[in-house]
Amino acid sequence: MWRYDIIQKFINENKYKKYLEIGLGKECTNFEKIVNVNKIGVDPFWPEDIEKWLSPQTKIYKMTSNDFFKNKGSEILKNLDIAFIDGLHEYHQVIFEVQEILKYLLPTGTILIHDCLPFSEAMAKPLEEMSKYNACYEPWMGDVWKSIPILRAKFPEYSIFVIDSDCGIGVLTKQKMYLKKTGSFDEKMINDMTYEQFQISKRDMLNIVSLKEVGFDR
């Protein structure tokens, strides 16, 4: 299943009404496929052919997520059902965005985080090393994965796991879909962890599950 399939499944099964996406990409590839919900998009760069995405049910804000939460959050995000984070690909930013979204997310809501399972060390380079990265060689996921164990430690009341599909879809929800014991994760340890160490311990650290384990294989 692709990210939009998983997002749409959450929307359909929970009858969600309000959806936020951070990081649209210039072609709105994921955003355009989400249906039957009021959509809010946030990206500092306008997508191509912006007019075709806009409607009374679809709003797009040309700004960083920091500015959006500071200036628009309380006005726009009340009673938010579901959010998808696919922006800067930097774990500090992901944690910030999750914490901001939780101010508005309904108790029945869900947050999804893309790019939690990089396929190689190059794909997992942190933002500050991007000058050394050849984007034409393979897509970049950054160190988003580091946000998952830290969020598991910060929010033990949530079920937090990563679905092993489409580059790794992190899930944060109070629905008890899939819950393992919260790990004891120190942020400094996670920040200093090498890619090799990540590969060895990622299954337990990220609470990785299959589509079948969360009932999404049908």
Side-chain angles (χ1 to χ4, degrees):
M1 296 179 73
W2 297 101
R3 70 205 80 169
Y4 43 81
D5 297 313
I6 292 171
I7 295 167
Q8 195 66 54
K9 193 167 181 68
F10 273 102
I11 290 170
N12 294 346
E13 293 193 351
N14 294 283
K15 297 181 171 59
Y16 287 155
K17 301 298 182 184
K18 185 182 285 189
Y19 168 73
L20 168 68
E21 182 168 320
I22 296 174
L24 304 180
K26 66 179 182 178
E27 296 178 352
C28 288
T29 306
N30 182 79
F31 193 68
E32 71 162 335
K33 291 182 172 64
I34 305 304
V35 297
N36 302 324
V37 69
N38 292 319
K39 300 194 290 187
I40 303 158
V42 178
D43 198 301
F45 305 100
W46 279 123
E48 294 179 354
D49 302 322
I50 184 67
E51 293 78 10
K52 72 179 181 180
W53 308 116
L54 304 178
S55 73
Q57 291 75 42
T58 301
K59 308 292 184 184
I60 297 178
Y61 296 88
K62 184 184 179 183
M63 57 180 65
T64 65
S65 62
N66 291 37
D67 287 340
F68 176 78
F69 288 120
K70 180 179 178 180
N71 300 309
K72 297 288 185 180
S74 58
E75 171 191 348
I76 303 297
L77 295 182
K78 185 178 179 181
N79 296 326
L80 181 68
D81 287 304
I82 181 167
F84 179 61
I85 298 174
D86 193 16
L88 193 58
H89 293 184
E90 195 275 336
Y91 87 90
H92 289 293
Q93 185 67 25
V94 171
I95 292 170
F96 166 77
E97 289 166 350
V98 167
Q99 291 174 322
E100 289 297 306
I101 290 167
L102 287 175
K103 295 176 182 178
Y104 310 102
L105 192 72
L106 290 171
T108 54
T110 300
I111 300 174
L112 304 176
I113 303 167
H114 195 223
D115 294 316
C116 295
L117 290 175
F119 307 147
S120 69
E121 186 171 4
M123 295 174 94
K125 285 183 180 295
L127 185 64
E128 60 267 21
E129 294 183 24
M130 278 299 291
S131 60
K132 306 174 186 176
Y133 182 79
N134 181 358
C136 296
Y137 179 65
E138 56 187 337
W140 176 62
M141 299 186 191
D143 57 7
V144 171
W145 67 267
K146 293 181 179 181
S147 67
I148 300 299
I150 295 171
L151 289 169
R152 289 181 69 196
K154 283 181 178 289
F155 300 106
E157 70 274 26
Y158 283 86
S159 183
I160 302 176
F161 53 94
V162 173
I163 300 175
D164 190 5
S165 186
D166 191 1
C167 304
I169 307 293
V171 180
L172 185 150
T173 181
K174 282 191 173 179
Q175 301 177 53
K176 301 306 179 187
M177 299 178 60
Y178 191 90
L179 182 62
K180 284 184 178 178
K181 183 179 179 181
T182 301
S184 177
F185 304 109
D186 176 76
E187 186 165 348
K188 185 179 186 307
M189 176 191 75
I190 299 298
N191 183 61
D192 294 342
M193 186 173 286
T194 66
Y195 182 77
E196 289 77 14
Q197 291 170 326
F198 163 63
Q199 286 295 97
I200 292 169
S201 56
K202 67 180 180 181
R203 185 152 298 276
D204 289 332
M205 187 169 59
L206 272 60
N207 200 5
I208 298 173
V209 303
S210 67
L211 288 165
K212 183 176 182 179
E213 286 176 292
V214 291
F216 278 16
D217 59 330
R218 53 187 181 275

